[in-house]
Amino acid sequence: MRILYSRSFLGAVSACAISACSSGGDSSQTAESGKVVVAAPAIPTPTPTAVPESTTRVAGPLASASAFADFDFANGTKYPEQATASVGPAFYRPGSNVAHVPISLDRPSPNTVIARVTTEDGTGPVKGVAGVNYQSIYKSVVFRPGDPLTKTVDVPILLGIPQADFTVRFVEAPWGGKMGTDRAAVQCDIVQEPTPEQTEGRAPRTFAATGTLQWKMSRETMKWSDAGHDKAWSTQLPNGRSQPGNQETGMYLDGWVYRGHDIEAPLRYTDGGLVMHTQKLKEPMYWDRIGYHYGAIVLSGHNTRPLQIGYGQYEFTAKMPSRHGSWPALWLISTSGWPPEIDIYEGFGFDDWWNFDRHVAHTIHGGANATRSFQQGTFLDTQEVYGVGGFSKGFHRFAVDIQPDYITWFIDGVETYQAVNPFDGFRWYPIMNVAVKTSSDYDEGSGDMIVKDVRVYSN
């Protein structure tokens, strides 16, 4: 009996939503009997031009995992400590037109760290004032694994007056890292040596499908059934059609299994893509003696071997929902059980602060025996950092490259995150789902995720 899975990140958002999807449309469905007993509750917890498939990796060396070569990952149950980021003091000379402010990590990072920084007027005897002495900034500093431990952010200087100071500070705790010294003074000084510029570091990768194409979604290949098999995804999770341990209020539906009920088609294949539809039900439906007032959807590849790989790439082209209370995700689970888990995309629409057009979460979860021992990841404002957004307004490509040294995430071909891979020898299967976690009318915006393409490449 499998424990419920959990998807969460950095402890900032609650645990994972898994859903179960329904049959419909033009694909073939097979009704399969037998109820899966739900196990114990889950652990709480400007758009760039698309990169063509033939695109190779950008110039510049990839990060080396040598800094963690001697780390004991304990078969995917342990992970290196996160780096701590700090803002350092900085100096510039009168007449300078820029001040270089150092942002530093205390150790090599096992994953991408993104620090958002901004400026404030000074507090000393001679205060630096925005618009007079300096120009305000709001910028992101990206540390990729293998980068130098110090980088500088540039602040334009308008009028340098000796002893005039202003402050550069973190907007919040760095994404993917810990908070150290969160602010420092930037001072015009005729004695101190100006802080040098430090910008070394590798360029981001672009997505490259280096593996052999093993499976591609089409009207002919996209089939689903209750339990799933080699030619069909399953419309339920291995543990069933609900996730009460994640406080989900939606039951994972299948239009074939629940034909005769007054429900809208949860899943249909159209000319525009595979529509994964969520809904508020007219009457509650029951699973494991619990009534659910919402319909959720999932397609799981746990019984579909052509979808399963060890090392390689998964690429999904999808349009995300925009409805508050929806919880979409594209993610991977080990064929040997949960954990481990790799979240390629996750959208926490049940949180008021979540913006479906700007925010993305990437996470890995490790552990053994149905017990999570670590999670490592981040959420990103990808519009701000990478200029990539509008995920509920159009189709975007979400991909992951799993290699023995690193796991690398991409959106529209742009590298958005990277983490040292602690999982040696695991095989993976994909899950696409939209869970529901709300008690609202659930009627604003769209609650549908539309998937236009899925590709699986094996190395």
Side-chain angles (χ1 to χ4, degrees):
M1 185 168 64
R2 289 191 184 224
I3 192 167
L4 295 178
Y5 306 136
S6 171
R7 289 187 284 107
S8 59
F9 69 101
L10 303 181
V13 199
S14 48
C16 137
I18 312 178
S19 16
C21 126
S22 127
S23 49
D26 300 317
S27 295
S28 64
Q29 305 97 24
T30 304
E32 303 183 25
S33 61
K35 174 181 174 183
V36 181
V37 178
V38 177
I43 303 171
T45 61
T47 304
T49 303
V51 180
E53 291 180 6
S54 59
T55 299
T56 56
R57 296 173 180 177
V58 294
L62 294 179
S64 169
S66 59
F68 305 100
D70 297 328
F71 185 83
D72 179 12
F73 291 101
N75 199 30
T77 63
K78 294 182 181 179
Y79 205 74
E81 185 176 350
Q82 283 188 325
T84 297
S86 296
V87 183
F91 300 94
Y92 65 96
R93 292 283 173 83
S96 298
N97 59 13
V98 64
H100 306 297
V101 182
I103 312 297
S104 300
L105 303 182
D106 68 335
R107 68 189 66 206
S109 176
N111 58 272
T112 304
V113 176
I114 301 175
R116 297 196 296 176
V117 296
T118 190
T119 45
E120 290 181 347
D121 288 350
T123 59
V126 184
K127 297 180 181 180
V129 178
V132 176
N133 302 103
Y134 70 96
Q135 182 177 313
S136 298
I137 66 165
Y138 190 98
K139 297 182 178 181
S140 299
V141 182
V142 180
F143 292 89
R144 298 180 179 90
D147 275 356
L149 297 184
T150 297
K151 293 187 176 185
T152 52
V153 60
D154 291 348
V155 182
I157 299 300
L158 305 176
L159 177 62
I161 300 175
Q163 304 305 312
D165 72 285
F166 59 92
T167 297
V168 170
R169 65 171 179 84
F170 287 142
V171 175
E172 75 279 276
W175 299 337
K178 298 178 182 178
M179 175 85 83
T181 302
D182 69 340
R183 64 190 61 218
V186 183
Q187 186 169 297
C188 180
D189 198 292
I190 60 175
V191 177
Q192 295 282 354
E193 287 294 321
T195 303
E197 182 180 19
Q198 300 182 66
T199 58
E200 291 84 0
R202 71 169 178 85
R205 290 177 54 188
T206 52
F207 179 71
T210 60
T212 300
L213 182 63
Q214 181 166 299
W215 190 89
K216 182 183 184 303
M217 177 178 137
S218 68
R219 189 178 291 272
E220 290 70 34
T221 62
M222 187 69 248
K223 310 296 182 183
W224 56 88
S225 69
D226 185 12
H229 48 78
D230 273 358
K231 294 184 178 181
W233 299 59
S234 174
T235 58
Q236 62 175 303
L237 297 164
N239 56 276
R241 297 191 176 276
S242 65
Q243 286 279 74
N246 292 327
Q247 297 80 50
E248 295 176 26
T249 55
M251 173 182 163
Y252 306 125
L253 299 179
D254 183 308
W256 176 263
V257 175
Y258 295 101
R259 63 191 183 280
H261 290 73
D262 190 10
I263 62 174
E264 300 163 359
L267 187 66
R268 63 187 189 276
Y269 203 109
T270 71
D271 291 341
L274 180 70
V275 180
M276 304 184 71
H277 177 63
T278 63
Q279 58 195 287
K280 186 171 184 179
L281 302 173
K282 297 175 183 178
E283 299 290 339
M285 297 184 67
Y286 289 82
W287 178 265
D288 200 41
R289 301 181 299 279
I290 298 175
Y292 291 89
H293 294 267
Y294 303 86
I297 190 74
V298 70
L299 286 175
S300 173
H302 60 274
N303 285 331
T304 313
R305 285 176 295 179
L307 302 172
Q308 300 170 7
I309 63 171
Y311 299 114
Q313 300 83 40
Y314 285 92
E315 184 181 21
F316 300 83
T317 301
K319 179 181 178 182
M320 294 302 163
S322 60
R323 182 171 293 171
H324 179 72
S326 64
W327 193 352
L330 306 166
W331 49 304
L332 311 175
I333 292 291
S334 165
T335 56
S336 59
W338 181 92
E341 172 183 335
I342 301 173
D343 298 326
I344 302 170
Y345 166 90
E346 189 167 12
F348 297 97
F350 54 84
D351 276 328
D352 290 337
W353 59 269
W354 188 265
N355 185 324
F356 274 113
D357 287 319
R358 304 179 67 96
H359 294 154
V360 168
H362 304 313
T363 318
I364 59 175
H365 306 256
N369 302 318
T371 302
R372 183 177 56 195
S373 55
F374 74 84
Q375 61 184 40
Q376 189 84 344
T378 188
F379 81 88
L380 303 169
D381 184 332
T382 57
Q383 181 67 63
E384 177 184 310
V385 180
Y386 299 111
V388 181
F391 304 123
S392 74
K393 294 181 173 62
F395 289 93
H396 295 265
R397 295 186 299 127
F398 304 89
V400 67
D401 181 20
I402 307 167
Q403 297 300 331
D405 52 357
Y406 279 95
I407 302 169
T408 310
W409 288 252
F410 303 85
I411 300 177
D412 291 341
V414 178
E415 177 188 341
T416 51
Y417 188 68
Q418 188 177 68
V420 172
N421 186 357
F423 309 126
D424 181 21
F426 287 89
R427 289 186 63 81
W428 306 94
Y429 66 84
I431 297 175
M432 306 185 291
N433 76 291
V434 186
V436 179
K437 185 176 179 178
T438 187
S439 59
S440 70
D441 290 337
Y442 198 63
D443 58 0
E444 92 293 351
S446 170
D448 297 351
M449 179 167 68
I450 305 175
V451 181
K452 182 176 288 186
D453 192 25
V454 180
R455 300 186 185 202
V456 181
Y457 302 89
S458 175
N459 287 120

